[in-house]
Amino acid sequence: MKARRVLAVWCLDWPAAAAAAEAGAPVTQAVAVLSNGKVVACSAVARAEGIRRGLRKREAQACCPDLLVAQEDSDRDGRLFEPVVAAVDATVPGVEVLRPGLLVLGARGAARFFGSEEAAAERLVDAVAAVGVECQIGIADELSTAVLAARRATIVPPGKGSEFLAPLPVSELAVEPTLAAPERGELVDLLHRLGLRRIGDFAALTPAEVTSRFGKDAITAHRCARAEPERPPASRLPAVDLTVEQRCDPPLERVDTAAFAGRMLAAELHTKLSAAAVACTRLAIHAETEAGEQLSRIWRCAEPLTPESTADRIRWQLDGWLTRRALRQGGPTAPITLLRLDPVEVVSSGALQLGLWGGVGEDEERARRALARVQGLLGGDAVRMGVLSGGRGPDERITLVPLGDEPVPAADPAQPWPGRLPEPAPAVVLRNRPEVRLESADGSPVWVTDRGLFTADPARLHWGRRSWPLLGWAGPWPLDDHWWTHRSRRGFAARAQVLIDTAARDRVLIDADRRDSTDRDRRALLLLGYDHSWHVEGLYE
């Protein structure tokens, strides 16, 4: 059986293009879209003037005084993208929208109809240009590869996806948010620090190495890097009774009333999905008008849809349909009388299980809504849960997973992990790892010999301007667990535990066998040593 082929249509700088279209600006006008006072998208003309993402408004206007500045508006992006989707769908049926500005469809049927993939790409570029929008086409065996190919206007030969991806920067794995989890940026940063700068370097790792050392999203990214199918074929088709619909009386003619109806329908859909213990990753939005017209559009999402994200997609789609009707640009000719949501593809809802309090009830539902609202205001990574993970150090034993993602640890905690820190674990783990100094009785610094022993018995610990005598210590334990290189980036590293006497202020040394010190006057610290200096990694209660 022949491998499937995917065609991606990418509209360059779509937020800026939509803002320019709404303002009626000419194509030669530099355009920048702002969010929170910073540039999040700009046109090619603006980039030629030196404008880049992340610039503040004044900095951007200093680069280009004639700059057209617009605020970020997802509703505008979705509404103005509908004519593009309609033009592509009229040329090649079966369109799936990933987000405003990006859509995908099957390439094999289009290639057979137009004679070749190159001819199909040319026809689609012409169809999109007819509605006044510039686009690029990418074709490959897999969806994520096709999306990256579209950014380079490339048709990847069958079976050559991994060769196409190999020389690209590993940051390309996080460039498209609809195909990556929120933590993909952290994965890319980690790969950079490990020296894996190209997608081919990451693809060269074995699946076992990625599975045992990184999180769930890293597995998806690794399959993308190897040009393998990102979604397993086990995603089951939804039951018929998951479809929800609503008769609109009076019919929907205005965007605000349509958005309200869509939000109610989204809540009803997710109630059914929760009862069936599934989550939706591909959603079909259907509408019927008074004139009997049937409208339909499929939205695809990398992560399971939430009620809020579902309502957003319904609002964007209805806004596009109704706006085209009002402008008489080929949309529906009559008001909408029926709305129907059909989950085309569902997966296990384990990715949405919170597991914070262990029960399902009104308290948990209120907490879920509150945390989801905070997450919506501050971003997907703002609310995280701790998941017990595998590792040797305390920082490695906890994987922080964004709320709503599947609680999958970065490494299997059931593995033996020889050389890991013995129990109990520190009650507090310090991410900033403040530097401290260990001294012997004569005031000389204490480090670790080549044989893994202290250079002298530690007697005092200095932390900033304060210092304390030691009541006891354990270790050191040299670390040698960096699997990707023969030598740690920081060189030699070791851990040690020390017990300090917090009641002593001015004494130089105290006997380690002293018994008159209470528990309140003692504090145990976990130290991590590297670069010939000691750092506090954790605090024991």
Side-chain angles (χ1 to χ4, degrees):
M1 184 176 67
K2 292 185 178 181
R4 63 179 183 178
R5 299 281 282 169
V6 180
L7 185 150
V9 180
W10 178 56
C11 298
L12 292 71
D13 309 314
W14 180 250
E22 186 177 58
V27 294
T28 56
Q29 175 76 54
V31 182
V33 178
L34 304 183
S35 176
N36 296 324
K38 293 185 178 180
V39 176
V40 295
C42 61
S43 62
V45 177
R47 281 195 296 274
E49 297 290 339
I51 297 174
R52 296 292 184 269
R53 291 181 182 179
L55 286 183
R56 296 190 177 276
K57 180 179 178 179
R58 289 186 178 181
E59 296 173 331
Q61 290 176 327
C63 294
C64 180
D66 297 331
L67 180 68
L68 173 62
V69 176
Q71 292 300 316
E72 187 178 34
D73 186 349
S74 58
D75 292 346
R76 175 191 63 210
D77 298 344
R79 177 177 68 253
L80 296 179
F81 191 57
E82 173 56 26
V84 178
V85 181
V88 174
D89 195 48
T91 307
V92 181
V95 170
E96 293 185 11
V97 182
L98 295 183
R99 60 166 174 82
L102 178 63
L103 55 86
V104 295
L105 50 95
R108 193 167 298 280
R112 286 199 301 264
F113 184 81
F114 292 109
S116 67
E117 292 180 344
E118 290 79 4
E122 291 178 3
R123 290 294 297 270
L124 287 174
V125 169
D126 293 340
V128 175
V131 296
V133 177
E134 181 183 359
C135 75
Q136 293 183 179
I137 305 295
I139 303 178
D141 294 340
E142 297 302 329
L143 186 147
S144 60
T145 309
V147 169
L148 294 179
R151 290 178 172 270
R152 290 161 177 79
T154 301
I155 297 179
V156 182
K160 300 295 184 179
S162 58
E163 297 180 14
F164 165 74
L165 295 172
L168 300 182
V170 73
S171 59
E172 290 289 312
L173 296 175
V175 73
E176 180 49 55
T178 59
L179 300 179
E183 63 269 22
R184 182 66 62 84
E186 297 180 4
L187 172 65
V188 169
D189 180 65
L190 176 59
L191 295 177
H192 265 282
R193 288 185 279 116
L194 296 181
L196 306 176
R197 304 299 175 85
R198 302 290 174 182
I199 291 181
D201 299 333
F202 183 43
L205 300 180
T206 66
E209 289 173 331
V210 175
T211 303
S212 61
R213 292 173 172 87
F214 301 101
K216 175 187 174 184
D217 181 61
I219 301 173
T220 304
H222 190 243
R223 297 181 68 87
C224 169
R226 295 165 68 96
E228 297 178 352
E230 294 91 0
R231 285 185 179 172
S235 297
R236 62 181 184 275
L237 294 175
V240 177
D241 61 357
L242 292 181
T243 300
V244 297
E245 67 177 28
Q246 176 180 334
R247 291 284 175 181
C248 306
D249 187 16
L252 302 177
E253 297 185 84
R254 294 169 46 190
V255 174
D256 54 349
T257 56
F260 180 74
R263 185 169 294 277
M264 294 178 59
L265 201 58
E268 182 181 349
L269 171 66
H270 281 270
T271 299
K272 280 195 172 185
L273 293 174
S274 298
V278 294
C280 178
T281 53
R282 287 173 64 198
L283 176 68
I285 304 174
H286 304 279
E288 183 178 323
T289 69
E290 281 186 336
E293 298 165 305
Q294 302 289 332
L295 308 174
S296 179
R297 193 71 72 226
I298 295 178
W299 288 78
R300 176 191 286 261
C301 188
E303 295 295 303
L305 289 167
T306 63
E308 292 76 15
S309 58
T310 301
D312 286 342
R313 283 157 177 78
I314 298 172
R315 186 179 69 253
W316 297 340
Q317 190 60 63
L318 295 179
D319 195 353
W321 281 334
L322 293 176
T323 301
R324 293 187 66 203
R325 172 178 179 268
L327 298 176
R328 293 182 172 87
Q329 293 180 347
T333 60
I336 294 174
T337 57
L338 181 140
L339 283 177
R340 184 171 71 254
L341 302 182
D342 183 12
V344 178
E345 180 182 77
V346 296
V347 296
S348 170
S349 63
L352 298 179
Q353 295 296 325
L354 301 182
L356 293 177
W357 294 276
V360 179
E362 294 184 1
D363 291 341
E364 183 175 3
E365 180 62 20
R366 284 197 300 270
R368 186 196 69 80
R369 289 197 298 267
L371 293 176
R373 183 175 296 276
V374 173
Q375 195 174 36
L377 293 173
L378 302 181
D381 289 342
V383 181
R384 299 189 177 195
M385 301 186 305
V387 180
L388 182 63
S389 180
R392 295 176 174 83
D395 196 21
E396 302 166 8
R397 297 293 305 280
I398 296 296
T399 300
L400 294 178
V401 179
L403 181 67
D405 286 8
E406 186 174 356
V408 177
D412 186 3
Q415 296 298 322
W417 296 104
R420 72 178 182 181
L421 189 70
E423 298 293 340
V428 179
V429 178
L430 303 180
R431 288 292 184 92
N432 60 339
R433 294 176 181 171
E435 184 175 347
V436 296
R437 187 172 75 256
L438 278 183
E439 290 184 352
S440 63
D442 60 3
S444 59
V446 175
W447 186 235
V448 183
T449 67
D450 293 338
R451 303 179 68 89
L453 302 174
F454 279 132
T455 54
D457 289 346
R460 196 169 188 84
L461 181 139
H462 294 266
W463 187 341
R465 296 182 178 180
R466 305 183 66 181
S467 65
W468 300 272
L470 300 188
L471 297 174
W473 48 267
W477 303 291
L479 306 182
D480 186 18
D481 57 354
H482 296 275
W483 56 274
W484 60 89
T485 180
H486 295 294
R487 184 173 178 82
S488 167
R489 178 173 57 87
R490 295 184 302 227
F492 176 81
R495 284 192 174 93
Q497 294 170 329
V498 296
L499 183 65
I500 63 175
D501 181 4
T502 58
R505 299 296 184 192
D506 302 319
R507 293 187 299 273
V508 176
L509 181 62
I510 192 167
D511 189 349
D513 293 329
R514 197 180 101 166
R515 296 290 185 266
D516 59 348
S517 179
T518 65
D519 291 339
R520 291 182 303 173
D521 298 333
R522 301 181 181 186
R523 172 58 65 92
L525 310 178
L526 175 65
L527 303 183
L528 177 63
Y530 54 87
D531 294 337
H532 286 275
S533 62
W534 293 98
H535 304 261
V536 180
E537 188 177 19
L539 306 176
Y540 292 92
E541 292 294 339

